[in-house]
């Protein structure tokens, strides 16, 4: 979540509306002025609260730096402090603007509870967001309206929490709702849907989703297809799919065999280059509920020669544990 950039857009769009007629060139000049000193232009409780959200997100992200060097006890102590600080920051923002949806979303996630416990508050927050934004004009793609992005983030969190609590049909339904609102799918709901359809063994829906996004392969789609075909018992096709995942996704085999701990998304999935190792670590992390339901999958995959040697070669080249 690039909250500061969104704050600039919010402030600039509000000033544009106040000024009335403003050319595109004039709006670009306004954007640059706001970007140069956004706090100078803030003029409402909503913007003040969102500024606090932006600072909280930046502070939380910076606090994570170096934590991977800590031992387990030190890491979890630092993480607990981070979450507590984020929760307090959200309380401060909500004291200024109780309707700040992003502060409410972050506050729910900062409680760091299990998905079954988190899902209820997220579903309630989704209904609040729909009621709060219900009067807003709906563009062809909701992401183009910066004030609608909190709703999309909430739906993304609902979808992931549904998936993590084994409510795969609900996860796909919420994901599809968000994609319908924002076909550009900046937040990557299609990735959660792909894994959900794999778990549901719904090949028709999986393929339709793949076609809708022009078969732009990702770590999620390649891994999801391998899981789907494995669950359907179509082993030659599953073998080709896992080999494709291994070949197309950098370090994908290593990420599957040696999964890496990924921290809570606050609130969005971290950005990663397409088909990169970072994307592979995110996909494997998110697929964990499904992989746990299919305990033989990883053992089967690492028993395939090219998968095993790809993982070993990647570890040797990058100096990772093996």
């Amino acid at each position: 979540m690039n909250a500061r950039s969104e704050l600039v857009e919010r402030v600039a769009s509000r000033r544009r509306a106040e000024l009335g007629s403003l050319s595109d060139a004039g709006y670009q000049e306004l954007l640059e002025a706001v970007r140069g000193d956004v706090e100078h232009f803030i003029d409402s409780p909503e913007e003040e609260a969102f500024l606090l959200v932006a600072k909280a997100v930046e502070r939380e992200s910076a606090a994570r730096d170096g934590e991977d060097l800590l031992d387990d006890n030190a890491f979890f102590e630092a993480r607990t402090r981070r979450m507590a600080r984020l929760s307090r920051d959200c309380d401060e923002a909500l004291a200024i603007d109780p309707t700040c949806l992003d502060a409410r979303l972050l506050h729910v996630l900062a409680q760091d509870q299990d998905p079954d416990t988190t899902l209820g508050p997220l579903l309630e927050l989704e209904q609040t967001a729909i009621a709060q934004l219900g009067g807003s004009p709906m563009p062809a793609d909701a992401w183009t309206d910066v004030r609608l992005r909190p709703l999309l983030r909430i739906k993304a969190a609902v979808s992931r929490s549904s998936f993590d609590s084994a409510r795969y049909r609900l996860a796909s339904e919420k994901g599809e709702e968000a994609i319908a609102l924002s076909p550009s799918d900046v937040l990557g709901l299609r990735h959660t849907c792909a894994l959900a359809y794999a778990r549901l063994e719904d090949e028709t829906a999986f393929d339709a989703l793949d076609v809708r996004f022009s078969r732009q392969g990702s770590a999620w789609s390649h891994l999801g297809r391998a899981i789907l075909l494995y669950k359907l018992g179509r082993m030659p096709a599953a073998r080709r799919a896992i080999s494709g995942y291994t070949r197309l996704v950098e370090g994908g085999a290593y990420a599957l065999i040696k999964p890496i701990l990924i921290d809570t998304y606050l609130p969005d999935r971290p950005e990663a280059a397409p088909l990169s190792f970072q994307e592979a670590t995110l996909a494997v992390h998110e697929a964990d509920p499904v992989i746990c339901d299919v305990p033989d999958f990883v053992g089967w995959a690492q028993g395939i020669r090219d998968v095993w040697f790809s993982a070993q070669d990647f570890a040797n080249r990058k100096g990772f544990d093996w």
Side-chain angles (χ1 to χ4, degrees):
M1 177 185 181
N2 192 338
R4 192 167 291 270
S5 176
E6 288 195 18
L7 176 61
V8 169
E9 288 188 58
R10 287 184 181 214
V11 173
S13 62
R14 187 256 305 162
R15 288 298 295 268
R16 184 181 200 176
E18 291 173 351
L19 292 170
S21 178
L22 190 65
S23 67
D24 290 343
Y27 182 61
Q28 288 304 312
E29 290 182 12
L30 174 61
L31 268 176
E32 289 303 315
V34 174
R35 191 174 289 117
D37 186 7
V38 67
E39 295 188 35
H40 174 75
F41 289 88
I42 287 176
D43 190 29
S44 71
E46 292 82 6
E47 292 168 0
E48 290 179 23
F50 198 79
L51 172 62
L52 294 182
V53 169
K55 290 181 176 180
V57 170
E58 292 168 351
R59 185 184 300 114
E60 201 281 334
S61 179
R64 294 189 185 202
D65 291 346
E67 284 189 355
D68 55 339
L69 301 176
L70 301 175
D71 63 36
D72 287 353
N73 288 336
F75 168 78
F76 285 110
E77 288 175 3
R79 186 175 183 279
T80 298
R81 289 194 297 270
R82 273 197 292 109
M83 293 295 189
R85 175 61 186 269
L86 180 60
S87 185
R88 292 194 300 271
D89 289 342
C90 291
D91 286 336
E92 186 178 350
L94 290 168
I96 296 172
D97 175 22
T99 69
C100 182
L101 293 171
D102 283 301
R104 294 185 64 177
L105 172 59
L106 285 166
H107 194 277
V108 171
L109 298 176
Q111 305 314 301
D112 203 28
Q113 296 172 312
D114 66 80
D116 280 308
T117 303
T118 300
L119 182 57
L122 287 177
L123 287 168
E124 291 177 8
L125 182 56
E126 180 188 22
Q127 292 306 307
T128 298
I130 291 170
Q132 188 171 312
L133 300 170
S136 302
M138 191 61 67
D141 191 322
W143 188 258
T144 62
D145 185 339
V146 69
R147 297 184 185 278
L148 294 175
R149 292 179 189 176
L151 173 60
L152 296 174
R153 282 191 280 269
I154 291 166
K155 282 186 173 292
V158 169
S159 181
R160 288 194 300 269
S161 187
S162 300
F163 185 90
D164 290 340
S165 59
R167 295 171 173 87
Y168 302 111
R169 185 61 67 188
L170 180 60
S172 65
E173 289 172 355
K174 292 299 180 181
E176 293 283 4
E177 287 176 11
I179 293 170
L181 289 173
S182 177
S184 63
D185 191 32
V186 173
L187 297 178
L189 274 298
R190 63 191 180 278
H191 304 320
T192 307
C193 286
L195 294 178
Y197 289 140
R199 174 60 181 82
L200 293 167
E201 301 179 26
D202 191 340
E203 188 173 13
T204 300
F206 187 100
D207 284 338
L209 182 71
D210 203 21
V211 169
R212 200 182 323 162
F213 287 93
S214 303
R215 297 197 182 278
Q216 297 173 352
S218 69
W220 292 271
S221 65
H222 292 307
L223 179 60
R225 187 172 293 281
I227 293 171
L228 170 66
L229 293 169
Y230 181 86
K231 285 181 62 59
L232 290 173
R234 287 157 50 190
M235 305 314 292
R239 187 184 184 98
R240 290 192 294 272
I242 197 64
S243 294
Y245 163 78
T246 298
R247 184 177 66 258
L248 297 170
V249 182
E250 181 187 7
Y254 181 83
L256 180 62
I257 295 172
K258 298 281 189 179
I260 296 172
L261 174 66
I262 303 294
D263 210 342
T264 304
Y265 298 165
L266 294 170
D268 302 337
R269 176 187 289 114
E271 293 183 5
L275 305 177
S276 65
F277 177 62
Q278 184 181 8
E279 188 177 270
T281 64
L282 296 174
V284 170
H285 164 71
E286 293 177 31
D288 185 64
V290 175
I291 291 172
C292 289
D293 277 351
V294 193
D296 296 334
F297 176 75
V298 174
W300 165 79
Q302 67 185 18
I304 298 172
R305 183 181 178 85
D306 59 343
V307 175
W308 177 264
F309 281 106
S310 175
Q312 190 176 53
D313 176 67
F314 183 80
N316 291 338
R317 285 190 290 109
K318 298 296 184 179
F320 291 168
D321 292 336
W322 183 249

